[in-house]
Amino acid sequence: MNTEWSLDEIYKGFDDEAYEADFKALEEELVSFGKAVKAADRELKDKVEELLAFEENITLSAGKLSLYIGLRESVNTDDGSIMAQSNRFSKVFSSGSAAFSGASKLYASIPDVDAFAKESGLIAKYTYKLKSAKENAKHLLSDEVEEIISQLDMTGGAAWGKLQTYLTSTLKVDYEGRTVTLSEIRNLAYSDDAAVRKSAYEAEIKAYEKIADSVAFALNNIKMQVNTLCEKRGYESALDMTLAKSDMKKETLDAMLTAIKEYLPVFRKYLRKKGELLGHKNGLPWYDLFAPIGKAEKSYSIDEAKEYLVNCFSGFTPGMASLMKEAFENSWIDFYPRKGKEGGAFCADANFIRQSRILTNYDGTFGAVDTLAHELGHAYHNRQLEDVDILNQGAPMQLAETASTFNEVFLGKYALSKASDLEKISLIDSDLKEQTQCIVDIYSRFLIESAVFEQSKNRFLMADDLKEIMLDAQRQSYGDGLDENTMHPYMWVCKGHYYSSGLSYYNFPYAFGNLFALGLYSLYKEEGDSFVPKYNKMLASTGCHSIEDVAATMGIDVTNPDFWRSSLKLIEAEVCEFCKLA
């Protein structure tokens, strides 16, 4: 079994004739799209159809090129030739910004979208997109300014984001007389050796000192750029813009955060109990957050991970199990950490070839198997979108985490059902570690991003400032569950989600996805096999409905704190079971 992904199904290389042909075709299509937007010789309905057809073609060809470049870059962040292709693509695609802006404004001018839809099958497919354009149009600037913004982003926010990726992926960490990567040192947080966990944490913290100032500049400049654009576009804040772009009500976010804050003491109870089991008196030190509890975790080879996941998800639906088998056997996954490879994990859709690609930094632990289940959940979501019209594919951040987190919940329950009494505490701890990350740590990330957006309006935040903001966010979220003397002041350095000029607040969607998935799992237990077709249909609809409407298809009201409380009660029950077993 290959341990690195194959990209040959997309392109054979940058010298592939098909790659150059697609680049040329994209350039020509963008030019033609721009001319079509400016043309004034057609009726409005006909022009809308023409522009939608252009958008379909451009989305397909640009998606293919950007996917290939992005995947190559993610495992070779220090390769200048790949960076050159990335810059080339950004320059070409940004040339269409004015056309996209002009098309959106034209869509917003449609007097009655539903009336047009009755006369046009193409328009009928994209009524949600066209209606959304009316709301979004008021935030668009002139076509020329939109193009300039897109072009300047290449050497502005996007470039600062790439700097953070480059610095963290190439950071050399000194550890016990040898040099290791940041991904390798962070993986040691899961070691069953307490001395290794502590020394790895200390080495990680010390290593960040080498790059903290540079990354602080990246973070400041990205957030200042976003603040400036929010002001110019008429958004009240970056959070307001994020919610608007994902079609989520502030009422929904407030309901979820209300419930989360109510249940923070539950997570702190778990952390204190875990600290006691590990011999700590003042809460859990950061370096023991991921320490295994109970029976030592089994180490899984890649083949064993595949077998375990396929067996597990065969009990949910054969479609999930067969997709997982396909991913392992057909080189969809790049498993192991190596120099120049990004940390963390992600799944990218390649729906044009009915596949996905998954990056992990696999270390053989159950947590790593859980990460695979998470990313393969994204791949399952992608599969439900493969036959959806291309401009309706995708999902807002919040719903993008639904299938992935549902997989984690399902895997955790499966593992518990197979466990002996001696193994249960280990598995419950493993699940609670993930729950704590998705709720408590995510809340701290929401707090720091909010603080950085607000404070960077009036001052430049140096590395020491950001460290203190990070620690304050951890105090608010983790409370007395953590030992205040061993927290993590540099979590803002290593989390790439802060460093996108086009995607702010990629934190609370994880909490949303986690708690939403727990609610869905409860429905699955009630409904059994009849749940799966509804679930698949819901996943296929995530790109063409509001978040509230998608949830409503499953009978869920996400604007009501009681829904979120019901999911958090399931976690509370696990904490009680953990404390009992402990």
Side-chain angles (χ1 to χ4, degrees), residues 66-287:
S66 64
L67 173 70
Y68 182 72
I69 295 168
L71 293 176
R72 289 281 302 270
E73 191 170 24
S74 68
V75 294
N76 296 280
T77 60
D78 53 356
D79 189 323
S81 65
I82 299 175
M83 293 183 188
Q85 291 295 325
S86 179
N87 290 336
R88 177 191 179 194
F89 174 82
S90 296
K91 184 176 181 179
V92 168
F93 194 68
S94 67
S95 69
S97 298
F100 280 108
S101 174
S104 294
K105 291 174 182 176
L106 184 134
Y107 300 152
S109 72
I110 300 173
D112 187 339
V113 173
D114 291 327
F116 275 17
K118 291 177 181 178
E119 302 176 20
S120 167
L122 182 60
I123 291 175
K125 291 193 299 186
Y126 298 123
T127 54
Y128 176 77
K129 171 183 171 65
L130 297 174
K131 289 179 179 179
S132 297
K134 276 189 175 293
E135 180 62 28
N136 297 332
K138 63 185 179 183
H139 298 292
L140 290 173
L141 304 173
S142 71
D143 297 352
E144 292 74 18
V145 170
E146 291 291 347
E147 183 171 1
I148 291 171
I149 289 171
S150 181
Q151 291 175 345
L152 288 178
D153 185 58
M154 292 170 54
T155 51
W160 285 113
K162 288 181 179 179
L163 175 65
Q164 184 270 345
T165 299
Y166 173 78
L167 289 172
T168 53
S169 63
T170 59
L171 178 63
K172 296 178 180 178
V173 183
D174 300 316
Y175 181 66
E176 297 188 341
R178 57 194 177 95
T179 300
V180 299
T181 66
L182 183 57
S183 293
E184 289 173 312
I185 204 72
R186 284 177 60 79
N187 279 344
L188 293 177
Y190 297 88
S191 171
D192 58 5
D193 187 324
V196 169
R197 295 193 300 270
K198 187 170 186 286
S199 61
Y201 161 81
E202 291 169 347
E204 179 191 354
I205 295 295
K206 187 172 180 58
Y208 287 131
E209 296 173 4
K210 303 175 186 178
I211 62 173
D213 289 337
S214 299
V215 177
F217 270 74
L219 186 59
N220 275 271
N221 283 293
I222 290 170
K223 298 313 183 192
M224 287 191 289
Q225 177 177 310
V226 173
N227 275 334
T228 299
L229 290 177
C230 284
E231 180 183 348
K232 297 300 181 184
R233 296 188 188 283
Y235 290 106
E236 292 182 7
S237 65
L239 180 59
D240 180 44
M241 180 172 68
T242 295
L243 292 171
K245 285 187 173 181
S246 58
D247 207 350
M248 174 174 166
K249 295 177 181 178
K250 180 69 160 52
E251 183 183 359
T252 298
L253 177 61
D254 290 342
M256 183 181 74
L257 292 179
T258 294
I260 285 174
K261 284 184 276 189
E262 290 174 1
Y263 276 79
L264 287 176
V266 171
F267 291 93
R268 293 166 185 169
K269 177 183 177 182
Y270 154 68
L271 293 168
R272 290 194 303 272
K273 176 57 70 174
K274 180 167 182 172
E276 291 173 12
L277 289 175
L278 294 171
H280 305 297
K281 297 180 180 179
N282 300 311
L284 189 66
W286 187 278
Y287 56 78

Side-chain angles (χ1 to χ4, degrees), residues 408-436:
E408 290 192 65
V409 175
F410 193 93
L411 177 66
K413 303 301 183 185
Y414 173 84
L416 276 174
S417 72
K418 302 291 183 182
S420 67
D421 290 343
L422 290 174
E423 294 170 324
K424 281 185 178 179
I425 190 170
S426 177
L427 290 169
I428 292 174
D429 175 62
S430 180
D431 186 54
L432 288 176
K433 282 187 290 193
E434 295 303 316
Q435 300 289 359
T436 301

